[in-house]
Amino acid sequence: MERNYLLLTPGPLSTSASVKEAMLQDWCTWDKDYNEGVVEVIRWKLLEAAGLDGREYTTVLLQGSGTYGVEATLGAAVRPEDKLLIVANGAYGKRMGTIAEYYHLNYALVNLKETELVTPEVVERALEEHPGVTHFAVVHSETTTGLLNPIEGIAEVLRGRGVTWIVDAMSSFGGIPIDIKGLGIDFLISSANKCVQGVPGFTFVIARREKLAACKGVARSLSLDIYAQWEEMERGHGKWRFTSPTHVVRAFAQALKELEEEGGIAARHARYCRNHEVLVEGMEGAGFRTLLTPEKQSPIITSFLYPEAGFSFGDFYEALKRRGFVIYPGKVSDADTFRIGTIGDVYPEDFRRLVEAVKEIRGV
Ligand SMILES: *Cc1c(COP(=O)(O)O)cnc(C)c1O
């Protein structure tokens, strides 16, 4: 089937025809062909892609979008007597604060500017200013701007402090190599419709076994209890507690296979970097400037400043859509921007075509 348009957005994103085809069959959630043959395979393949040992790490899949996974993790990992520190530099970091508020967690939210990195120094200072922190949460790739927080440096600050580390790697896992074990990450959250290139419908958490086991009885929500969900998956060999999004799960299994065939996360990262390079070079040639300087920028999504006062994003969006490209509005509070994603089943040649379309629309 021909594509309606290319989605240059950070999820849902453009998926391959084979990923979509994987949804053309109905699967029984009780049958072992589904639980053992699809769900369990996904669970170990996620660990394999992340380079983790199944005796030390484990995975749990949960119905819902990425936010459900972040909420489920915070709600099950942080006990009433614990203290959570969140350092945010965008909408997704702030959303963790909103979750903490809903759950009446004992927490502190340090809010940085959206163009400022969560540096090791910032984390160190925040830990000094908020004594007694037991849990630390941060976003890896802040999709609000396209900024990439330096989790390697942050890991050095956290090392040896006994703090449980929760990373929202929603828009980076699968597209950027992350040494989960080496960095000491305890809970990493992502979802089906981002860099693994599946379709939307579930979220997953990669967790250190002993940390997830310690979540027993903590969750304040039945459907978002990742411990109970994990226990059921372990005991039932891939069985979900409630109706599992079978078609989406099948599509994800295919997407993981395609990630493997591409050469794994490192190879996918290299492709996204090329996409990003072609995009930025071309857009600069068409008179656009990026919001962020290159050292802060991820290859996932890029924010571009409006080229002049009075620029109509709506008209630009429609003109690009007519030419087969769908882009994203901006999300930054203090600058006029729009965003273009470089993740999904999209390639450098797609961005060359996009740049041609942009030049035609802009008359340059
Ligand atoms: C996509 C995303 C989420 C989750 O958003 P949903 O709309 O719930 O899928 C969370 N954090 C980041 C950084 C994201 O990019």
Side-chain angles (χ1 to χ4, degrees), residues 112-132:
L112 309 179
K113 274 174 54 182
E114 286 160 334
T115 50
E116 200 181 333
L117 289 177
V118 179
T119 60
E121 296 72 30
V122 165
V123 175
E124 186 144 31
R125 207 174 328 122
L127 285 168
E128 276 161 24
E129 282 165 12
H130 301 280

Short mmCIF file of all heavy atoms in Angstrom, two decimals, residues 112-132:
data_model
loop_
_atom_site.label_atom_id
_atom_site.label_comp_id
_atom_site.label_asym_id
_atom_site.label_seq_id
_atom_site.Cartn_x
_atom_site.Cartn_y
_atom_site.Cartn_z
N LEU A 112 15.04 23.51 34.76
CA LEU A 112 16.03 24.31 34.03
C LEU A 112 15.38 24.94 32.81
O LEU A 112 14.25 24.60 32.46
CB LEU A 112 17.19 23.42 33.56
CG LEU A 112 17.87 22.52 34.60
CD1 LEU A 112 18.97 21.72 33.92
CD2 LEU A 112 18.45 23.34 35.74
N LYS A 113 16.12 25.82 32.17
CA LYS A 113 15.63 26.36 30.89
C LYS A 113 15.61 25.23 29.87
O LYS A 113 16.41 24.30 29.94
CB LYS A 113 16.57 27.48 30.41
CG LYS A 113 16.21 28.83 31.01
CD LYS A 113 17.22 29.89 30.64
CE LYS A 113 17.45 30.02 29.13
NZ LYS A 113 18.48 31.06 28.85
N GLU A 114 14.75 25.35 28.89
CA GLU A 114 14.59 24.26 27.91
C GLU A 114 15.79 24.10 26.98
O GLU A 114 15.89 23.09 26.28
CB GLU A 114 13.32 24.47 27.09
CG GLU A 114 12.06 24.17 27.90
CD GLU A 114 10.82 24.81 27.31
OE1 GLU A 114 10.95 25.85 26.63
OE2 GLU A 114 9.73 24.28 27.55
N THR A 115 16.66 25.08 26.96
CA THR A 115 17.85 24.96 26.10
C THR A 115 19.11 24.66 26.93
O THR A 115 20.22 24.63 26.41
CB THR A 115 18.07 26.26 25.30
OG1 THR A 115 18.02 27.36 26.21
CG2 THR A 115 17.01 26.44 24.24
N GLU A 116 18.91 24.43 28.23
CA GLU A 116 20.03 24.17 29.13
C GLU A 116 20.14 22.66 29.37
O GLU A 116 19.13 22.00 29.60
CB GLU A 116 19.70 24.88 30.46
CG GLU A 116 20.86 25.15 31.36
CD GLU A 116 20.39 25.84 32.66
OE1 GLU A 116 19.34 26.52 32.65
OE2 GLU A 116 21.06 25.66 33.67
N LEU A 117 21.36 22.13 29.35
CA LEU A 117 21.54 20.69 29.57
C LEU A 117 21.45 20.35 31.06
O LEU A 117 21.80 21.17 31.91
CB LEU A 117 22.93 20.25 29.09
CG LEU A 117 23.21 20.19 27.59
CD1 LEU A 117 24.67 19.80 27.37
CD2 LEU A 117 22.29 19.21 26.88
N VAL A 118 21.02 19.12 31.35
CA VAL A 118 21.14 18.60 32.72
C VAL A 118 22.58 18.08 32.82
O VAL A 118 22.86 16.94 32.44
CB VAL A 118 20.12 17.47 32.99
CG1 VAL A 118 20.29 16.94 34.40
CG2 VAL A 118 18.69 17.96 32.78
N THR A 119 23.46 18.93 33.26
CA THR A 119 24.88 18.54 33.33
C THR A 119 25.17 17.84 34.65
O THR A 119 24.40 17.96 35.61
CB THR A 119 25.79 19.79 33.24
OG1 THR A 119 25.46 20.63 34.35
CG2 THR A 119 25.59 20.54 31.93
N PRO A 120 26.30 17.14 34.74
CA PRO A 120 26.68 16.53 36.02
C PRO A 120 26.75 17.57 37.14
O PRO A 120 26.34 17.29 38.27
CB PRO A 120 28.07 15.95 35.73
CG PRO A 120 28.13 15.78 34.24
CD PRO A 120 27.23 16.81 33.65
N GLU A 121 27.22 18.77 36.81
CA GLU A 121 27.33 19.83 37.82
C GLU A 121 25.96 20.21 38.36
O GLU A 121 25.77 20.40 39.56
CB GLU A 121 28.02 21.09 37.24
CG GLU A 121 29.47 20.89 36.80
CD GLU A 121 29.63 20.05 35.52
OE1 GLU A 121 28.72 20.08 34.66
OE2 GLU A 121 30.65 19.34 35.39
N VAL A 122 25.00 20.34 37.46
CA VAL A 122 23.63 20.69 37.87
C VAL A 122 23.07 19.61 38.80
O VAL A 122 22.45 19.90 39.82
CB VAL A 122 22.72 20.86 36.61
CG1 VAL A 122 21.25 20.85 36.99
CG2 VAL A 122 23.08 22.14 35.87
N VAL A 123 23.32 18.34 38.45
CA VAL A 123 22.81 17.23 39.26
C VAL A 123 23.48 17.23 40.63
O VAL A 123 22.82 17.07 41.67
CB VAL A 123 23.00 15.88 38.54
CG1 VAL A 123 22.59 14.72 39.43
CG2 VAL A 123 22.20 15.86 37.23
N GLU A 124 24.79 17.44 40.64
CA GLU A 124 25.53 17.46 41.90
C GLU A 124 24.99 18.54 42.83
O GLU A 124 24.74 18.31 44.01
CB GLU A 124 27.02 17.68 41.60
CG GLU A 124 27.89 17.56 42.82
CD GLU A 124 29.24 16.92 42.50
OE1 GLU A 124 29.73 17.12 41.36
OE2 GLU A 124 29.79 16.24 43.37
N ARG A 125 24.78 19.74 42.26
CA ARG A 125 24.26 20.86 43.05
C ARG A 125 22.85 20.53 43.56
O ARG A 125 22.53 20.76 44.72
CB ARG A 125 24.24 22.15 42.20
CG ARG A 125 24.35 23.39 43.04
CD ARG A 125 24.46 24.67 42.18
NE ARG A 125 25.16 24.49 40.92
CZ ARG A 125 24.62 24.76 39.72
NH1 ARG A 125 23.37 25.19 39.62
NH2 ARG A 125 25.32 24.60 38.61
N ALA A 126 22.03 19.97 42.70
CA ALA A 126 20.65 19.64 43.10
C ALA A 126 20.64 18.62 44.23
O ALA A 126 19.84 18.72 45.16
CB ALA A 126 19.87 19.11 41.90
N LEU A 127 21.57 17.66 44.18
CA LEU A 127 21.64 16.65 45.24
C LEU A 127 22.08 17.29 46.56
O LEU A 127 21.62 16.90 47.64
CB LEU A 127 22.60 15.52 44.85
CG LEU A 127 22.09 14.54 43.80
CD1 LEU A 127 23.22 13.66 43.27
CD2 LEU A 127 20.96 13.66 44.36
N GLU A 128 22.98 18.28 46.45
CA GLU A 128 23.42 18.97 47.67
C GLU A 128 22.29 19.80 48.27
O GLU A 128 22.11 19.87 49.48
CB GLU A 128 24.61 19.89 47.36
CG GLU A 128 25.93 19.15 47.39
CD GLU A 128 27.04 19.92 46.65
OE1 GLU A 128 26.92 21.16 46.53
OE2 GLU A 128 27.99 19.26 46.19
N GLU A 129 21.53 20.45 47.38
CA GLU A 129 20.43 21.30 47.85
C GLU A 129 19.24 20.51 48.37
O GLU A 129 18.39 21.07 49.07
CB GLU A 129 19.98 22.24 46.72
CG GLU A 129 20.93 23.42 46.55
CD GLU A 129 20.74 24.17 45.23
OE1 GLU A 129 19.73 23.93 44.54
OE2 GLU A 129 21.63 24.98 44.92
N HIS A 130 19.15 19.25 47.99
CA HIS A 130 18.02 18.43 48.44
C HIS A 130 18.55 17.17 49.12
O HIS A 130 18.58 16.10 48.51
CB HIS A 130 17.12 18.07 47.25
CG HIS A 130 16.56 19.27 46.56
ND1 HIS A 130 15.48 19.97 47.03
CD2 HIS A 130 16.98 19.93 45.45
CE1 HIS A 130 15.24 21.00 46.23
NE2 HIS A 130 16.13 21.00 45.27
N PRO A 131 18.95 17.29 50.36
CA PRO A 131 19.52 16.13 51.05
C PRO A 131 18.48 15.02 51.25
O PRO A 131 17.29 15.30 51.31
CB PRO A 131 19.98 16.69 52.40
CG PRO A 131 19.43 18.06 52.51
CD PRO A 131 18.91 18.50 51.19
N GLY A 132 18.98 13.79 51.32
CA GLY A 132 18.09 12.66 51.59
C GLY A 132 17.41 12.08 50.36
O GLY A 132 16.47 11.29 50.48
#
